[in-house]
Amino acid sequence: MSAEPIADELPAPWQPDPVRQRLADYTLEDLLNLPPDAPRVELVDGVIHVVPSPTEDHQDITGLLWSWLRTHAPREYKAVMAVGVAVTARDTREPDVLLRHAGGETSRHFFTPEQVVLAVEVVSTSTRRTDRLIKPVEYAAAGIPFYWRVEQDPVHVFAYRLSAQPGLSGRREYELVAESAQLLELPQPFPLALPIAEITP
């Protein structure tokens, strides 16, 4: 009696269709219908990008911040990780942590900007340009009220608020309201005093 190879019975892991990738015609509807085994992805101008796995330090900071927000945010908010935001009809981004309005659908791969209160990016060597320059512009254009950028080594948090008036670009932009490597104190999105040591691995 011989055993059949198990590999022949296992389905291949999900991956984007190369033809559709070349055509750049993926949509938000496609992201809603991703299979459960799909990796973390972002949709950039109709092309699906697999989000690379973060480093251990990055994961530690992300997890600690998520836990801190879950513990301290008012009940009308909910902190989540590894869920995207639809910044346009053809683009999604996946903040490391986001704070959203509580309630509503919880099984989707992304939220609309109206559901998101705060987007947080933990900066890594491979994401510095995107997290410092590109994502803040996209989040601001989508109308997300608050953005935090967390730098590593040492951990330092920069907190931004969406400006009430258009900036030099003619669009609403983020303005820095606080930054600290020790204690981040803010009145919004809720009154908070975040000891940076509590999100430092």
Side-chain angles (χ1 to χ4, degrees):
M1 182 175 187
S2 62
E4 294 295 324
I6 296 176
D8 293 341
E9 301 171 8
L10 297 176
W14 178 89
Q15 59 183 345
D17 182 321
V19 174
R20 296 196 64 190
Q21 289 284 78
R22 286 194 299 274
L23 294 173
D25 74 343
Y26 275 106
T27 67
L28 297 179
E29 188 68 27
D30 293 310
L31 294 196
L32 289 174
N33 295 310
L34 287 177
D37 66 337
R40 295 173 59 197
V41 299
E42 291 180 337
L43 182 66
V44 181
D45 199 23
V47 176
I48 288 181
H49 293 255
V50 175
V51 178
S53 298
T55 63
E56 184 176 347
D57 282 345
H58 184 288
Q59 291 182 66
D60 286 344
I61 294 168
T62 299
L64 290 167
L65 179 57
W66 169 81
S67 179
W68 194 93
L69 287 170
R70 293 276 285 206
T71 302
H72 294 86
R75 294 175 63 89
E76 61 263 30
Y77 298 135
K78 182 179 180 182
V80 298
M81 294 189 298
V83 181
V85 180
V87 292
T88 74
R90 288 170 51 84
D91 299 272
T92 66
R93 289 296 186 176
E94 191 165 302
D96 292 308
V97 180
L98 63 79
L99 191 67
R100 69 174 185 87
H101 295 287
E105 179 63 53
T106 60
S107 62
R108 298 177 65 170
H109 289 277
F110 64 86
F111 296 107
T112 62
E114 296 77 22
Q115 295 172 287
V116 180
V117 178
L118 164 69
V120 182
E121 296 291 352
V122 178
V123 178
S124 297
T125 303
S126 61
T127 65
R128 283 182 295 196
R129 183 175 183 277
T130 302
D131 293 341
R132 293 173 181 169
L133 301 174
I134 298 174
K135 286 188 176 183
V137 171
E138 294 176 344
Y139 293 149
I144 295 173
F146 301 97
Y147 174 68
W148 292 1
R149 189 183 84 241
V150 183
E151 299 284 346
Q152 301 187 56
D153 196 26
V155 177
H156 195 122
V157 182
F158 296 82
Y160 299 85
R161 176 184 60 205
L162 192 60
S163 61
Q165 302 297 325
L168 295 176
S169 67
R171 299 183 300 264
R172 293 177 70 189
E173 301 171 350
Y174 285 121
E175 53 190 9
L176 183 67
V177 291
E179 51 93 7
S180 183
Q182 297 180 335
L183 180 67
L184 184 72
E185 296 184 273
L186 292 166
Q188 295 174 303
F190 61 91
L192 64 88
L194 167 61
I196 303 304
E198 294 190 13
I199 63 167
T200 301

